[in-house]
Amino acid sequence: MARVISDECISCGACADTCPVGAIAEGDGKYVVDPDACIDCGACEDGCPVGAISEA
């Protein structure tokens, strides 16, 4: 199951930089995960400085 990014996202881009498959992009006010591309590795969750990413 894909990871999700909550409204606590500060749009720093750290998650996108850590995603090995490029499944994260800047959205409207926060970053978003493409569920079809996400391989559920957790790298983004580990890279988020504010803990805004979790399992869906």
Side-chain angles (χ1 to χ4, degrees):
M1 183 164 280
R3 304 287 166 143
V4 293
I5 301 175
S6 73
D7 289 339
E8 293 178 21
C9 174
I10 59 173
S11 296
C12 68
C15 57
D17 291 341
T18 62
C19 182
V21 295
I24 302 174
E26 193 169 3
D28 187 23
K30 68 177 185 174
Y31 276 70
V32 293
V33 178
D34 177 347
D36 294 327
C38 179
I39 59 172
D40 199 28
C41 67
C44 59
E45 190 172 353
D46 292 339
C48 180
V50 295
I53 304 174
S54 62
E55 292 184 49

